[in-house]
Amino acid sequence: MQFFRDWSPSAFVAGFVAVLVGLTSSIAIVFQAAQAFGATPEQVSSWVWALGIGMGLCSWLPSMWLRKPVMVAWSTPGAAVLATAGAAGGFSMPEAVGAFMVSAALITLAGATGWFERLMDRIPLAIASALLAGVLTRFGLDAFAAATGNLWLVVAMLLGYLVARRWWTRYAVMVTLLIGIGVALGQGRIVWSAVHGAWTWPVFTMPSFSFSAAVSLALPLFVVTMASQNLPGVAVIRASGYDLPISKIITMTGVTTLLLAPFGGYAFNLSAITAAICMGEEAHPDRKRRYTAAVSCGVIYVALGCFGAVIAGLLMAFPRELVVAIAGIALLGTIANGLLVALRDEQYREAALVTFLVTLSGVSIAGVGSAFWGVVAGSIALFVQQYGQLRKPRD
């Protein structure tokens, strides 16, 4: 089978790191969102099942079919919006599920009509690359900041990465992860008590539709998912040099949300951070074989959904510094390439720099994250520059 010929240990490690980063960075927010609607422990487990199955299949199957890395994740800012709005509005779980389905219908419409992809086609590669670099640089900074909590762990991982990049480039991230786990074991920092064995069962919730839930939950969820998740997700795809059917993938995420919303799959979207991990050179030197990293990630996510308590416990057992460090170190090459492309062309340099800085700032306005505002600021800067050139007086 072609997949097994293309597969490599480095691709599997990239997929594992993607799951590790995606899960540990935001699973707590998902739990808060579920609890804001009065979720029972069984319903919380069902959310893990639905999100794992949805992300896994939407990453696994398209990547196998297209032979290109397709990475789908849950909407982290969407979960934050739900946690805040759910607690403030006093919405029930059935009302929340109805809002998830309304948002999913809007996402499906955006994909089916192609308007979102047409909008992204008008954004220059330099702006998209600056957006990517701005989103990922925060992870690079956090990797080194983690040294304040566990200096020897971060130093050992960084040195291991540098040595591996010198002599075993293909396995640099894998070596770094193994060193981190070894040091954490030696320090006694891995919390084995977090691991519990249990099978996860889906719980169906009959949706209830209301105008207030549509306005307070569905519309904000749709906006932040498209602006703060799908937009940087497309930027990662374009900056990584892959030509994917964006509209079809967006439509797929909307339909998947519609199907899994009654079980807790509140919103699926293109991934940005974890996609960069699986689309980078560390996953595999051959771009045509990096899809195996996305497939590996998808398989792990499906297992996470079925054995949520076991796998979530294993991943949550790692110390925070290890997770933050491996994420930042794994993205160093992608950050460097993003900055190179963003600043290479003098025509777009200042606009790309504005995009990068606004995105890196982390500013949030009206509940929409800095990725969206970075593109807005960069586009305005580019328009002003080009408009001024066109309006120069003749000699």
Side-chain angles (χ1 to χ4, degrees), residues 27 29 133 143 167 174 198 245 344 347 359:
I27 189 66
I29 301 176
W167 283 285
M174 179 169 60
R344 181 170 52 197
Q347 178 184 1
T359 303

Side-chain angles (χ1 to χ4, degrees), residues 37-256:
F37 303 112
T40 63
E42 292 76 16
Q43 287 175 320
V44 172
S45 297
S46 181
W47 278 46
V48 175
W49 177 88
L51 292 171
I53 295 296
M55 291 187 298
L57 294 180
C58 286
S59 300
W60 175 2
L61 299 180
S63 296
M64 287 286 289
W65 178 263
L66 297 171
R67 298 275 193 252
K68 296 176 183 179
V70 176
M71 292 291 291
V72 171
W74 64 53
S75 175
T76 299
V81 167
L82 293 174
T84 303
F91 296 103
S92 65
M93 183 61 75
E95 289 178 306
V97 170
F100 302 164
M101 298 182 74
V102 171
S103 174
L106 294 174
I107 293 173
T108 304
L109 182 64
T113 58
W115 69 263
F116 182 73
E117 184 173 7
R118 289 194 294 271
L119 175 64
M120 289 301 300
D121 286 339
R122 300 183 65 86
I123 298 177
L125 179 60
I127 301 295
S129 297
L131 170 65
L132 170 63
V135 170
L136 301 185
T137 297
R138 175 57 58 188
F139 285 79
L141 294 173
D142 289 344
F144 294 100
T148 59
N150 194 329
L151 176 63
W152 296 115
L153 174 67
V154 176
V155 169
M157 292 177 68
L158 179 59
L159 289 176
Y161 174 79
L162 294 175
V163 171
R165 283 286 293 176
R166 177 65 176 83
W167 283 285
W168 309 291
T169 302
R170 183 173 176 181
Y171 303 104
V173 175
M174 179 169 60
V175 170
T176 305
L177 178 61
L178 291 176
I179 290 174
I181 293 174
V183 174
L185 281 171
Q187 294 177 334
R189 293 289 303 276
I190 296 184
V191 186
W192 297 113
S193 60
V195 182
H196 302 283
W199 179 271
T200 304
W201 295 98
V203 177
F204 179 83
T205 300
M206 182 64 69
S208 174
F209 300 94
S210 68
F211 178 77
S212 59
V215 173
S216 300
L217 298 178
L219 289 180
L221 178 61
F222 168 72
V223 171
V224 300
T225 298
M226 298 302 292
S228 299
Q229 294 287 108
N230 281 326
L231 191 149
V234 174
V236 171
I237 292 171
R238 299 283 169 81
S240 300
Y242 287 100
D243 182 19
L244 293 174
I246 302 299
S247 293
K248 292 182 179 179
I249 296 174
I250 296 292
T251 303
M252 176 190 68
T253 61
V255 172
T256 302

Side-chain angles (χ1 to χ4, degrees), residues 365-376:
I365 303 174
V368 179
S370 61
F372 173 78
W373 298 115
V375 173
V376 171

